[in-house]
Amino acid sequence: MWELRGLLNEITYINTIMPSPRNSPKNSRDRRALDNRLEFLSLIGQKSPSPPDSPSRRKDYTGSSGSPQTLPEEDCMKLNPSVVDIALRSLLAIDLWASKQLGVCAGESSSWGSARPLMMLIEVSGHGIPWLAVTLYGLCKSDSSAWCEVLLNLLFALVLDLVLVAAVKGLVKRRRPAYNRMDMFATVSVDKYSFPSGHATRAALVCRFILHHFVLALPLRVLVILWVFVVGISRVMLGRHNVTDVICGLIIGYMQYGLVEYFWLSPVSAPFLFSLCS
């Protein structure tokens, strides 16, 4: 229908500009002008006429070819990432690369696979269950109020560490490295997550607690500090954690000791607990 109407309009228009025999162009200049008009009309006639635009179509056309529409804010952020975003992504890539390079004891076939049993022994030394068991045993055998106070606060520190680490792991939910073998000693549901390293937080917390409340010779104090770093390094070598998990774990454990000192349990603040120990 639209093609027939367009053809009729074209014929009518050609008849209006076509000269009659009496008014045919006399010179070559008028003939060339007439030929150019006819050629132009023939080119226009090759295009099929389109139906008139509806309001909705006119709106879409205006939106597509008119003024440029602004992109959503999320797309703009993806196209123009901030400096902070680029820096964080770069640090994450470096963290993953360095952790994989240092995971030399992740399996028996790894480059340092023969040292895996030793690393797993160090893993047990930083686990929460042995420390809780030793602390409870010391409380049962203590016959001094001062010794009981120290051990009771150490128990409080260990329980606080377990609760805080489990909460952070549940919030962050960072998966452990893909090359890690889930053969860890006594794990629970939140242990499938990686950030932060519970062994690192516990080691830093226990180290600071021991150095402040236990009387040790200088060689023993140095060994306690070295033990903290050995535990942290073993977590990366076994493929249990990434480097940032261990570093942040050490920082969190160091800061947790401040909470223990702030909420220090004494016979005055917690008489019921000390009555159980006596």
Side-chain angles (χ1 to χ4, degrees), residues 148 152 264-278:
C148 180
L152 189 61
W264 185 264
L265 302 177
S266 63
V268 177
S269 61
F272 175 72
L273 295 176
F274 283 89
S275 63
L276 295 177
C277 297
S278 59

Side-chain angles (χ1 to χ4, degrees), residues 8-266:
L8 291 175
N9 292 335
E10 180 182 344
I11 294 173
T12 303
Y13 183 68
I14 292 175
N15 289 333
T16 58
I17 66 171
M18 283 292 291
S20 62
R22 289 178 297 177
N23 296 328
S24 59
K26 298 295 187 301
N27 51 32
S28 59
R29 182 177 179 182
D30 294 337
R31 289 195 203 95
R32 285 197 300 270
L34 178 61
D35 293 338
N36 291 335
R37 285 197 296 271
L38 291 176
E39 184 179 0
F40 175 74
L41 289 174
S42 64
L43 292 174
I44 295 177
Q46 294 176 1
K47 300 180 180 179
S48 60
S50 58
D53 295 338
S54 61
S56 60
R57 183 175 178 180
R58 197 177 302 117
K59 182 179 179 180
D60 296 340
Y61 177 78
T62 304
S64 60
S65 62
S67 60
Q69 296 179 347
T70 58
L71 293 173
E73 185 177 356
E74 295 82 3
D75 295 340
C76 294
M77 292 176 64
K78 292 178 182 178
L79 294 175
N80 300 307
S82 62
V83 178
V84 177
D85 187 33
I86 295 175
L88 290 177
R89 290 179 181 272
S90 301
L91 290 175
L92 178 61
I94 295 172
D95 176 37
L96 297 177
W97 174 82
S99 302
K100 190 172 183 179
Q101 296 297 319
L102 293 174
V104 293
C105 298
E108 287 79 3
S109 59
S110 302
S111 57
W112 287 22
S114 58
R116 183 176 173 83
L118 176 61
M119 293 294 106
M120 295 187 70
L121 182 61
I122 297 173
E123 178 181 64
V124 175
S125 71
H127 200 276
I129 292 179
W131 280 100
L132 288 172
V134 171
T135 305
L136 289 173
Y137 179 79
L139 280 173
C140 294
K141 295 296 182 179
S142 63
D143 54 357
S144 170
S145 59
W147 184 246
C148 180
E149 181 177 350
V150 171
L151 290 180
L152 189 61
N153 282 277
L154 178 59
L155 180 63
F156 167 67
L158 294 173
V159 174
L160 177 66
D161 175 71
L162 290 174
V163 173
L164 291 181
V165 170
V168 175
K169 284 186 175 183
L171 290 174
V172 179
K173 294 183 178 180
R174 185 184 190 184
R175 293 288 179 179
R176 291 187 182 270
Y179 46 88
N180 172 49
R181 292 178 55 186
M182 293 301 294
D183 57 349
M184 295 178 289
F185 173 73
T187 58
V188 294
S189 59
V190 294
D191 287 331
K192 62 183 178 182
Y193 300 123
S194 178
F195 183 90
S197 170
H199 283 68
T201 60
R202 190 174 302 108
L205 174 63
V206 170
C207 173
R208 196 175 178 191
F209 189 97
I210 290 176
L211 294 180
H212 278 78
H213 296 284
F214 285 78
V215 179
L216 299 175
L218 182 59
L220 291 178
R221 297 173 72 88
V222 173
L223 285 177
V224 171
I225 296 174
L226 289 178
W227 170 75
V228 175
F229 289 101
V230 169
V231 169
I233 294 172
S234 68
R235 307 308 292 160
V236 181
M237 294 178 65
L238 285 170
R240 309 297 197 200
H241 294 278
N242 296 307
V243 175
T244 52
D245 301 333
V246 175
I247 294 176
C248 292
L250 293 174
I251 296 173
I252 293 173
Y254 186 85
M255 295 174 63
Q256 279 180 343
Y257 178 76
L259 291 176
V260 176
E261 287 290 333
Y262 184 80
F263 296 103
W264 185 264
L265 302 177
S266 63

